[in-house]
Amino acid sequence: MLSISRISGLMADHQKVHPSVDVDVEAPPPPPPPPNVPSVPPRAEKGSAVGHDPPLTQPIVVPLTPAKSPKINRSCCCKCICWTVSLIALLLIILGATVGILYLVFKPKLPNYSIDSLKISNLQLNFDMTLYAQFDVKITANNPNKKIGIYYEKGSRLSVWYTNAQLCQGSLPNFYQGHQNKTVLNVALTGQTESGNTLMRTLQDQQQTGRIPLDLKVDAPVAIKLGRLKLRKVRILGGCMLVVDSLTSNNFISIKASNCKFRLKL
């Protein structure tokens, strides 16, 4: 049996209030935490010793350059091309008009040449089997222009050919030919040709026919004079196809046919 004091202790423990661990569902939720607002120092009163407020930093606005559209670039290129083409066309028109005026004023004509005579001073076979030839050619140069003079400059070249073999060569003298002037030139041509034995035999066989074809080639640098103006150098190119009866030394050769053609090279 329990004693009276033990029963009294149990009843006292039963009457004690113990805290509950359950959360009261009807209790209001806790308030949300305040937002993180940066603390701003209070503005000092005028004349206060706290100091001036720091200046507020404002964003720097950089103006953006608008990008050029492809249409604008193409338009500029088209304008440049049009201006260039127009300028070139204008220069060509001016140049053509100038040339046309000069042509009408001076009426230029090509000089013409003729072979008056051909003489063989020497034609022999050397010990080294080269063919030595010396020709004397008389040429008449005619300037038919009324207002144009011709300067014959250094560097001219005349040569006599038989088929593909050059027999001899020389040069024209340097001189000035006036308006509507005819000048007779005596030119000496000399030269040596390889394989002279074969070439000499061919010439002798050709001489039996009485018709030997020769080609006189001309390359002459000249300067044109228009009034008092001396223009830059040009070249007179061409030649004369000749047919002679023989190649006998120390005798004038009869020229049976002659066909001369010349052109001007700028």
Side-chain angles (χ1 to χ4, degrees):
M1 293 182 64
L2 298 174
S3 63
I4 296 174
S5 59
R6 178 65 175 169
I7 294 172
S8 298
L10 291 174
M11 291 179 64
D13 294 337
H14 180 73
Q15 289 179 357
K16 288 181 179 181
V17 179
H18 296 280
S20 176
V21 295
D22 295 334
V23 179
D24 191 1
V25 294
E26 294 181 359
N36 295 328
V37 179
S39 60
V40 179
R43 302 181 63 87
E45 297 293 335
K46 187 174 182 182
S48 174
V50 176
H52 299 284
D53 294 338
L56 298 178
T57 303
Q58 296 183 355
I60 300 175
V61 180
V62 179
L64 298 177
T65 303
K68 296 183 179 179
S69 63
K71 292 183 178 180
I72 297 177
N73 293 335
R74 286 196 296 268
S75 177
C76 293
C77 292
C78 291
K79 288 182 180 180
C80 292
I81 293 174
C82 291
W83 276 106
T84 303
V85 173
S86 301
L87 182 60
I88 294 175
L90 180 61
L91 293 176
L92 291 177
I93 291 173
I94 295 174
L95 180 62
T98 304
V99 172
I101 294 172
L102 292 176
Y103 182 83
L104 293 176
V105 172
F106 292 97
K107 297 179 180 180
K109 298 178 182 178
L110 277 176
N112 53 75
Y113 306 90
S114 61
I115 308 300
D116 299 335
S117 64
L118 177 64
K119 179 181 178 181
I120 297 180
S121 301
N122 196 352
L123 184 64
Q124 65 179 4
L125 191 63
N126 296 327
F127 291 107
D128 57 357
M129 293 302 170
T130 59
L131 182 64
Y132 176 79
Q134 182 177 354
F135 289 13
D136 294 324
V137 184
K138 182 181 289 187
I139 302 173
T140 297
N142 178 29
N143 179 16
N145 296 282
K146 295 181 180 180
K147 300 179 181 180
I148 298 177
I150 301 175
Y151 288 93
Y152 286 84
E153 306 283 351
K154 295 180 179 180
S156 63
R157 185 171 181 270
L158 274 71
S159 56
V160 176
W161 295 69
Y162 173 73
T163 60
N164 294 325
Q166 177 179 299
L167 300 178
C168 52
Q169 67 176 3
S171 60
L172 293 174
N174 304 331
F175 69 100
Y176 170 74
Q177 189 174 25
H179 310 154
Q180 292 183 317
N181 174 265
K182 288 186 178 181
T183 303
V184 178
L185 306 172
N186 293 305
V187 183
L189 310 176
T190 59
Q192 288 184 341
T193 309
E194 300 292 335
S195 303
N197 189 18
T198 304
L199 183 59
M200 189 67 171
R201 189 181 306 111
T202 304
L203 288 173
Q204 291 175 350
D205 294 340
Q206 188 74 46
Q207 187 169 329
Q208 300 299 322
T209 64
R211 297 181 66 86
I212 303 173
L214 297 177
D215 186 7
L216 177 65
K217 296 181 181 181
V218 178
D219 182 357
V222 298
I224 307 300
K225 183 180 180 183
L226 301 178
R228 296 183 178 181
L229 180 62
K230 184 178 179 181
L231 304 181
R232 68 182 185 88
K233 290 182 181 181
V234 295
R235 306 188 79 85
I236 296 177
L237 303 177
C240 297
M241 299 297 296
L242 307 176
V243 177
V244 299
D245 59 347
S246 68
L247 294 178
T248 306
S249 300
N250 298 321
N251 289 324
F252 283 98
I253 298 172
S254 174
I255 300 175
K256 293 188 174 183
S258 176
N259 183 18
C260 298
K261 293 181 180 180
F262 297 91
R263 61 185 177 89
L264 199 64
K265 181 180 180 182
L266 301 179

